[in-house]
Amino acid sequence: MTTGGPGPTLELVDVSKNFGTVAALRHGSLRLDPGSIHALVGENGAGKSTLVKIIAGVYQRDSGTVTLEGQPVDFRNTAEARAAGIAVIYQEPTLFPDLSVTENIFMGRQLVGRFARIDRTAMRAQVVDLMTRLGVSIDPDRPTQGLSIADQQIIEIAKAISLDAKVLIMDEPTAALSGVEVERLFAVARSLRDEGRALAFISHRFDEVFSLCDMITVMRDGSYISTQAIADTDEPAIVRLMVGRDVGDMFPKAEAAIGDVVLDVSGLTSPGMFADISFQVRSGEIVSLAGLVGAGRSEVVRAVFGVDPYTAGRVTVEGKPLPPHSPTAAMHAGLALVPEDRHLQGLVVEESVGTNITDAIRRTLSRHGFITRHRENESAQTWAGALDVKCSALDALASTLSGGNQQKVVLAKWLACDPKVLIIDEPTRGIDVGTKSEVHRRMSDLACHGLAILMISSELPEVLGMADRVLVMHEGRITAEFDRANATAENIMFAATHNASELVAS
């Protein structure tokens, strides 16, 4: 590993940031050394994002010190931060979709040749060289529209290297990536570390943190808590530092009485998406759809709920056929869907918390076509309290909440409908460890009260910890089914990467 010198590349000491009377960051400290990958972890609302935005020049600190290669810096905007060698790679890259890979990398700083003409040949040659250095193969001439999130992130990294970035911060970069794409991104990160660059990695996924990073800093409630070498700590110790308490069992799955079949899916088919999908979910049971990204899991539950059409098969709820392609009919039959993307599909982020919670039951709250604020808040308060939604007030915008509390609001909205079947897609994606435990506990309690739950999760520990049965999908088909006693990481992953004929042959 390259050391790059004795001092830190970037160091923040006791940095604070207030928004009015709200202290978003009280005592933020972080040291990034050359030739090192440093994890930054903490619950949602711990101050990580505010700290990163101060580094990136989005916000200006109120107090504290920031030094870059030993020199004090005070970035007034993102352009100054980029010019100084700071690059942030976000979960959702912001590229121009109609421009080529090369044009995106050199946007605003095109190379100029003779007669002040843009030298596209030189720019393309540099992009080819960048991709070679990163060990990836991306056509420099193709438009970025249609590229995977993983490829878009590589382009952002290539842009940072072309600017000779000294510091790269990766903010939840793996949330939308498959296992293969994650490994490719990690290989790139390690190569950048070995060049002597300083990297920060923000993630809620501890397996990734412990496999990739050299150091780890914990934040809590807007303050710095601890920095340790990865080799000197473990996951339970980090969790205790993050939440300030023992979280206890991350998967508090209680034994529930399994009752009659509530949801019955038979022969569901949508050409090009999935084929011959059949399964049942009983009251009190948590059934997990497992598999790799792109296996067709979300497409299946969207079809079950009526969001997307299907060409063959049937869905019944408590023995009654459910009309296809009708979310309204699904809701009336007792189905609820907590979608994978809470921002685009689960919430109206510029509406209030109270309005979001009561969104699915507004018809039942109206009197003569009108809904009073009192009735809305009364109902919203019941569910906000039941799920311990932390917000300043029910009229606060949903966009102001942390990711974990936004997920609770979406869950509250659907539980307010008193459903018979809860379909929950990636229940804990992008939320912190403390809130994950709360969501898992709530799911277990709901199952104990007779709710049938169909859960999609890409996190194997979550699947193994919460499911009574596991259905594994591969390329649009269910390839295996395991009960709780027989579900292991090994047999789930084998079924997720092989078709049914290969499983039978083995």
Side-chain angles (χ1 to χ4, degrees):
M1 182 188 301
T2 305
T3 59
T9 301
L10 178 74
E11 187 168 26
L12 291 83
V13 178
D14 209 23
V15 171
S16 70
K17 179 64 180 178
N18 298 316
F19 296 96
T21 59
V22 178
L25 190 63
R26 295 181 175 87
H27 304 285
S29 296
L30 179 67
R31 172 181 169 138
L32 301 182
D33 290 316
S36 178
I37 304 177
H38 197 122
L40 179 62
V41 300
E43 293 189 272
N44 292 113
K48 306 186 301 296
S49 294
T50 303
L51 191 75
V52 168
K53 287 177 179 177
I54 289 172
I55 295 171
V58 177
Y59 299 151
Q60 286 70 55
R61 67 186 184 278
D62 294 328
S63 64
T65 62
V66 181
T67 58
L68 182 66
E69 295 186 319
Q71 299 300 311
V73 291
D74 187 12
F75 302 130
R76 291 170 295 179
N77 52 56
T78 55
E80 287 188 0
R82 281 197 301 270
I86 306 294
V88 181
I89 312 301
Y90 294 102
Q91 178 180 333
E92 299 290 343
T94 53
L95 300 175
F96 294 93
D98 295 327
L99 298 183
S100 71
V101 171
T102 298
E103 289 168 332
N104 269 279
I105 289 175
F106 284 96
M107 174 56 62
R109 54 187 188 90
Q110 291 87 350
L111 301 182
V112 177
R114 294 182 63 190
F115 309 114
R117 296 173 65 90
I118 294 176
D119 192 340
R120 300 183 184 278
T121 302
M123 290 193 301
R124 187 185 189 281
Q126 286 197 26
V127 172
V128 170
D129 181 59
L130 285 169
M131 296 304 171
T132 301
R133 285 174 59 189
L134 294 174
V136 298
S137 177
I138 298 176
D139 182 357
D141 299 319
R142 70 157 294 172
T144 58
Q145 188 171 35
L147 285 176
S148 68
I149 294 294
D151 283 344
Q152 291 181 52
Q153 288 176 340
I154 295 296
I155 293 168
E156 293 278 22
I157 292 172
K159 184 192 302 183
I161 297 172
S162 72
L163 289 164
D164 197 27
K166 306 176 183 73
V167 176
L168 283 88
I169 301 171
M170 295 184 288
D171 191 357
E172 293 284 355
T174 64
L177 306 189
S178 68
V180 173
E181 290 170 334
V182 168
E183 282 305 314
R184 185 181 68 163
L185 179 65
F186 283 7
V188 169
R190 292 184 182 107
S191 71
L192 297 174
R193 176 195 63 189
D194 294 342
E195 289 181 4
R197 303 178 198 271
L199 284 78
F201 180 71
I202 302 171
S203 178
H204 292 303
R205 298 179 175 179
F206 286 113
D207 56 338
E208 296 177 353
V209 166
F210 278 85
S211 69
L212 176 68
C213 300
D214 306 300
M215 303 291 294
I216 185 167
T217 287
V218 179
M219 294 185 67
R220 184 174 73 239
D221 297 330
S223 296
Y224 167 85
I225 299 299
S226 171
T227 295
Q228 302 175 62
I230 284 288
D232 296 336
T233 189
D234 56 23
E235 183 176 329
I238 295 300
V239 169
R240 285 192 295 272
L241 291 170
M242 284 174 57
V243 302
R245 65 187 188 279
D246 284 322
V247 172
D249 189 356
M250 278 298 298
F251 307 104
K253 177 73 170 71
E255 291 297 325
I258 308 299
D260 296 331
V261 173
V262 182
L263 176 66
D264 190 350
V265 176
S266 177
L268 215 63
T269 298
S270 177
M273 295 293 181
F274 51 83
D276 196 25
I277 301 296
S278 299
F279 62 88
Q280 296 177 331
V281 186
R282 299 174 180 271
S283 65
E285 185 179 37
I286 299 177
V287 174
S288 177
L289 271 179
L292 302 179
V293 173
R297 299 165 302 161
S298 294
E299 290 78 3
V300 167
V301 298
R302 284 170 58 87
V304 169
F305 192 71
V307 177
D308 296 337
Y310 53 88
T311 58
R314 62 178 175 82
V315 178
T316 62
V317 180
E318 293 187 327
K320 298 178 181 178
L322 186 65
H325 205 18
S326 175
T328 301
M331 291 170 61
H332 289 162
L335 267 62
L337 171 62
V338 177
E340 176 183 14
D341 190 330
R342 57 178 172 262
H343 295 111
L344 293 180
Q345 302 163 353
L347 288 170
V348 182
V349 293
E350 294 309 317
E351 289 286 356
S352 70
V353 172
T355 299
N356 271 282
I357 291 176
T358 58
D359 183 53
I361 58 167
R362 297 182 73 79
R363 180 177 54 85
T364 67
L365 297 177
S366 66
R367 292 291 183 270
H368 308 295
F370 295 96
I371 302 174
T372 66
R373 180 60 58 87
H374 173 73
R375 282 184 63 82
E376 182 179 81
N377 284 346
E378 188 176 50
S379 177
Q381 185 60 59
T382 298
W383 289 102
L387 275 84
D388 193 27
V389 176
K390 293 180 175 64
C391 59
S392 57
L394 288 174
D395 58 3
L397 295 182
S399 59
T400 65
L401 302 186
S402 68
N405 282 297
Q406 288 179 348
Q407 184 74 336
K408 290 180 184 179
V409 168
V410 179
L411 190 55
K413 174 177 74 174
W414 288 110
L415 292 181
C417 299
D418 191 24
K420 299 169 184 173
V421 180
L422 176 65
I423 304 172
I424 185 164
D425 194 349
E426 301 291 359
T428 60
R429 169 171 287 173
I431 64 178
D432 59 76
V433 65
T435 307
K436 280 185 178 182
S437 183
E438 292 178 34
V439 170
H440 292 150
R441 185 169 289 105
R442 171 59 59 176
M443 289 173 60
S444 181
D445 290 344
L446 291 169
C448 286
H449 284 86
L451 189 65
I453 298 177
L454 177 61
M455 175 185 78
I456 294 176
S457 178
S458 299
E459 298 189 22
L460 270 177
E462 186 168 64
V463 171
L464 297 170
M466 295 304 298
D468 295 294
R469 281 189 298 125
V470 180
L471 309 172
V472 188
M473 288 190 65
H474 170 71
E475 295 182 351
R477 292 181 179 272
I478 294 177
T479 55
E481 177 177 339
F482 303 103
D483 60 25
R484 186 173 178 83
N486 294 313
T488 66
E490 291 77 13
N491 56 30
I492 289 174
M493 284 307 300
F494 186 74
T497 54
H498 294 72
N499 62 40
S501 61
E502 290 175 308
L503 290 172
V504 171
S506 63

